[in-house]
Amino acid sequence: AEYMGATCFIVMLFGRRAAAVLGRVRHVHEIAAKGFAHDAATYERARPTYPSAALELCKRVILGERSVANVVEVGAGTGKFTRALQAADTNRSLNIVAVEPVEAMRAEFLERVKEIPILDGRAEALPIQSRTADAVVFAQAFHWCANEQTMREVHRVLAPSGSLVLIWNLEDRTTKWVADIRNAYEEYEGTSPQYRHGTWREVFDRSSFVRENFGRLQSSSVTMQMPVTLQQIWERALSKSYIAILPEAKKRDLEARIRGLVLKALPQLADPKATVLYPYGTDVFWCERL
């Protein structure tokens, strides 16, 4: 695809084809829709950014042999990844458009990202013209919509030899205090799709459409550490959609439990200004549209 500028390749789908696509679209997962709408500001404060090594890898995959590339980021949320990728794009070689279905998230995005347009849209019916994107990126999002209709839409909007890029940050439970608090809050995840369970991979393994129209899924992992206070550790848990929608009494109980676990392991965090390093693993996956 040629570099066309943001407004040229984000043409909304109109007419009978759009109606047909929208008629097949699954609703945004209820937990995601409610949880991320409940307190998008906490999500923005608490979620980590992305390590430079992962961002450079994403940029290399997106550009390939191109000097410039059109990028669609799906499920962009408050723009955490969008801003990180934009900052890493020192040569201004990436023309990024964001798509996000949750209104509260789009509002937070617009407060913080001034140069990148964001559209109301879902992965299963992207408001993007066919064959105009050189890359489609899901940051911390693909597990919510890992189905064949999403992959058909990704295939539709990608130009030939374009790339699908998936990236996730995950708290590193090899550190005991992290494992302890993850055990505490993950009790509440219920049936909500989560990256760590790996069920998002099934669409790559089981769909004949995906096997026939995308290349092999490749991956790379890096680690990072983020300085956090005790309050930020709690807010990181609270930023999870399935925690955000808990009744207030259960949230208070969980907060007390998490604070207790952290202070037992890291008593210095009783000082509200004290910080520790929160360890994360960052996983990047990518494949090519055939």
Side-chain angles (χ1 to χ4, degrees), residues 140-160:
Q140 219 73 18
F142 186 75
H143 54 284
W144 291 108
C145 54
N147 57 67
E148 187 173 297
Q149 180 58 35
T150 290
M151 294 299 291
R152 287 181 179 275
E153 275 295 273
V154 169
H155 185 269
R156 181 185 65 77
V157 304
L158 279 175

Side-chain angles (χ1 to χ4, degrees), residues 272-285:
K273 295 182 180 179
T275 62
V276 295
L277 294 176
Y278 203 144
Y280 282 87
T282 301
D283 299 330
V284 183
F285 300 83

Side-chain angles (χ1 to χ4, degrees), residues 9 15 31 46 64 123 125-126 204 221 239 251 253 270 279:
F9 89 103
I31 293 174
L126 293 169
F204 293 92
S221 299
S239 75
K251 279 189 206 171
D253 290 345

Side-chain angles (χ1 to χ4, degrees), residues 210-266:
V210 174
R211 290 195 303 270
E212 292 167 5
N213 290 280
F214 289 88
R216 180 175 63 88
L217 189 66
Q218 302 180 68
S219 66
S220 182
S221 299
V222 297
T223 60
M224 67 171 178
Q225 295 180 313
M226 300 289 293
V228 290
T229 63
L230 177 59
Q231 176 65 19
Q232 288 170 325
I233 291 171
W234 160 240
E235 288 189 343
R236 177 65 184 90
L238 185 59
S239 75
K240 294 184 176 290
S241 55
Y242 58 85
I243 301 300
I245 62 174
L246 287 176
E248 290 302 317
K250 285 190 175 181
K251 279 189 206 171
R252 288 193 296 271
D253 290 345
L254 179 62
E255 180 179 4
R257 186 177 172 193
I258 287 176
R259 288 180 181 272
L261 288 167
V262 174
L263 288 173
K264 182 178 179 180
L266 304 164

Side-chain angles (χ1 to χ4, degrees), residues 145-197:
C145 54
N147 57 67
E148 187 173 297
Q149 180 58 35
T150 290
M151 294 299 291
R152 287 181 179 275
E153 275 295 273
V154 169
H155 185 269
R156 181 185 65 77
V157 304
L158 279 175
S161 300
S163 296
L164 168 64
V165 180
L166 315 175
I167 182 169
W168 284 276
N169 286 324
L170 185 63
E171 305 93 314
D172 184 358
R173 63 162 54 245
T174 61
T175 300
K176 186 179 185 305
W177 68 265
V178 176
D180 289 342
I181 64 171
R182 280 186 57 178
N183 290 340
Y185 60 69
E186 286 172 357
E187 291 178 8
Y188 295 95
E189 69 185 20
T191 59
S192 63
Q194 298 296 314
Y195 163 64
R196 69 188 185 92
H197 294 310

Side-chain angles (χ1 to χ4, degrees), residues 5-232:
T7 58
C8 293
F9 89 103
I10 61 173
V11 178
M12 293 292 291
L13 299 175
F14 289 110
R16 287 179 295 178
R17 185 191 176 282
V21 170
L22 290 169
R24 296 196 303 271
V25 170
R26 295 173 172 86
H27 292 295
V28 176
H29 195 287
E30 183 180 12
I31 293 174
K34 290 182 178 179
F36 294 136
H38 184 79
D39 193 353
T42 295
Y43 185 102
E44 169 60 29
R45 286 196 308 273
R47 292 295 177 114
T49 186
Y50 294 82
S52 58
L55 293 165
E56 287 302 317
L57 172 58
C58 289
K59 187 178 172 184
R60 288 198 303 273
V61 171
I62 289 167
L63 282 170
E65 300 298 320
R66 308 172 187 89
S67 58
V68 293
N70 292 324
V71 183
V72 178
E73 185 193 353
V74 185
T78 64
K80 282 279 184 177
F81 179 81
T82 323
R83 280 170 280 155
L85 184 62
Q86 183 184 39
D89 182 28
T90 54
N91 295 328
R92 288 294 180 260
S93 55
L94 304 181
N95 176 39
I96 306 170
V97 170
V99 178
E100 168 57 46
V102 178
E103 183 178 1
M105 290 292 210
R106 293 196 304 274
E108 288 289 329
F109 184 105
L110 288 168
E111 285 290 316
R112 291 165 173 80
V113 187
K114 304 301 183 184
E115 300 175 1
I116 295 174
I118 185 165
L119 306 176
D120 180 6
R122 299 168 180 158
E124 295 95 339
L126 293 169
I128 304 294
Q129 199 171 36
S130 297
R131 294 191 170 205
T132 52
D134 299 302
V136 175
V137 180
F138 291 78
Q140 219 73 18
F142 186 75
H143 54 284
W144 291 108
C145 54
N147 57 67
E148 187 173 297
Q149 180 58 35
T150 290
M151 294 299 291
R152 287 181 179 275
E153 275 295 273
V154 169
H155 185 269
R156 181 185 65 77
V157 304
L158 279 175
S161 300
S163 296
L164 168 64
V165 180
L166 315 175
I167 182 169
W168 284 276
N169 286 324
L170 185 63
E171 305 93 314
D172 184 358
R173 63 162 54 245
T174 61
T175 300
K176 186 179 185 305
W177 68 265
V178 176
D180 289 342
I181 64 171
R182 280 186 57 178
N183 290 340
Y185 60 69
E186 286 172 357
E187 291 178 8
Y188 295 95
E189 69 185 20
T191 59
S192 63
Q194 298 296 314
Y195 163 64
R196 69 188 185 92
H197 294 310
T199 54
W200 60 272
R201 289 177 177 269
E202 293 177 1
V203 71
F204 293 92
D205 298 333
R206 298 182 181 181
S207 167
S208 59
F209 174 84
V210 174
R211 290 195 303 270
E212 292 167 5
N213 290 280
F214 289 88
R216 180 175 63 88
L217 189 66
Q218 302 180 68
S219 66
S220 182
S221 299
V222 297
T223 60
M224 67 171 178
Q225 295 180 313
M226 300 289 293
V228 290
T229 63
L230 177 59
Q231 176 65 19
Q232 288 170 325

